[in-house]
Amino acid sequence: MAFDFKKEYKEFYLPKNRPEIVTVPRANYIAVRGQGDPNAEGGAYQQAIGVLYALAYTLKMSYKTDYRIQGFYDYVVPPLEGFWRQEGVEGIDYGNKAAFQWTSVIRLPDFVTEKDLAWAVETTEKKKKLDCSAAAFLTVDEGLCVQILHLGPFDEEPASVALMDAYIRERGYVNDLSEQRQHHEIYLSDARKVEPARWKTVIRHPIRKE
């Protein structure tokens, strides 16, 4: 049976819709960085997602090629994730999407190395005629965080963030958002197929003791 990150690491991918504090271990990702409104039709963000999924599936299906990844085992491609920030803003201003600086990512199994990703970039560019030069290998060590499962449209996220903020204050923590530690979202729903009222998004913020 294929390894499924959501099932094996339920505490990080399938939290409850109430705040909780977790310590998130180091993880590797395929990453594409950019800026601007993610809703712009055909914009940089939409293009980045196309690159991420193309590379993710090239790696997943590598066993059907002559290329061998050491330690490879079958796995389900993890969900799309994103790290978000805005210059000069603590947290996120949902009313100013044009100011977003984002890093769109898909998690990699631990056996995938930078060398393997470089192979996937070269292979995908040749086979799909897709420019993947913006993709990078990224390691993130999130550490201590608060998270919640948000149900509904992205523009309604401030209500869930407010619950997280109140939860950590009561326990002697504060947000630790910075250029290095960013607002993190994991998208559990396909926005193209599911109505916004039913979208499921994990929201995660780094925290520290006050």
Side-chain angles (χ1 to χ4, degrees):
M1 181 176 288
F3 182 92
D4 189 334
F5 286 88
K6 295 197 301 294
K7 292 180 181 177
E8 297 296 329
Y9 301 119
K10 290 181 180 178
E11 65 269 39
F12 305 123
Y13 287 95
L14 299 172
K16 297 179 173 58
N17 61 337
R18 60 176 183 267
E20 59 185 3
I21 293 173
V22 292
T23 300
V24 185
R26 180 186 302 234
N28 298 326
Y29 301 90
I30 314 169
V32 177
R33 293 180 173 87
Q35 58 185 23
D37 188 341
N39 297 322
E41 193 68 35
Y45 183 77
Q46 302 295 333
Q47 294 175 34
I49 292 174
V51 168
L52 288 174
Y53 276 110
L55 292 172
Y57 278 97
T58 295
L59 287 164
K60 172 181 167 58
M61 304 306 293
S62 63
Y63 69 94
K64 291 191 173 183
T65 71
D66 293 334
Y67 186 81
R68 292 291 176 264
I69 298 178
Q70 187 172 359
F72 181 93
Y73 52 78
D74 191 21
Y75 63 98
V76 177
V77 171
L80 179 71
E81 307 183 35
F83 294 92
W84 301 83
R85 66 182 295 267
Q86 292 162 317
E87 200 68 45
V89 177
E90 183 177 345
I92 294 294
D93 177 4
Y94 292 83
N96 188 12
K97 295 181 176 63
F100 275 134
Q101 297 180 17
W102 42 262
T103 304
S104 192
V105 302
I106 291 179
R107 185 170 177 174
L108 292 168
D110 290 341
F111 58 74
V112 174
T113 65
E114 290 188 63
K115 173 176 171 285
D116 299 323
L117 179 57
W119 167 83
V121 167
E122 182 180 356
T123 301
T124 304
E125 288 187 332
K126 285 180 180 177
K127 289 183 65 176
K128 296 185 177 294
K129 310 301 180 188
L130 180 66
D131 181 5
C132 299
S133 59
F137 187 94
L138 176 67
T139 300
V140 179
D141 193 354
E142 284 190 274
L144 192 65
C145 295
V146 61
Q147 66 181 17
I148 193 171
L149 179 64
H150 171 73
L151 305 174
F154 301 134
D155 285 345
E156 294 179 3
E157 286 185 8
S160 292
V161 171
L163 291 175
M164 290 163 51
D165 289 346
Y167 182 84
I168 62 173
R169 276 198 307 270
E170 291 169 359
R171 288 157 180 79
Y173 294 91
V174 292
N175 283 306
D176 194 27
L177 292 158
S178 67
E179 188 173 346
Q180 289 72 39
R181 305 187 76 203
Q182 299 179 11
H183 174 99
H184 184 182
E185 298 182 355
I186 303 174
Y187 309 107
L188 303 179
S189 306
D190 187 337
R192 300 167 301 175
K193 300 177 181 177
V194 179
E195 60 185 83
R198 296 173 55 208
W199 287 352
K200 295 181 179 180
T201 307
V202 179
I203 304 174
R204 186 180 294 158
H205 280 178
I207 60 173
R208 60 178 169 81
K209 269 292 186 181
E210 188 169 22

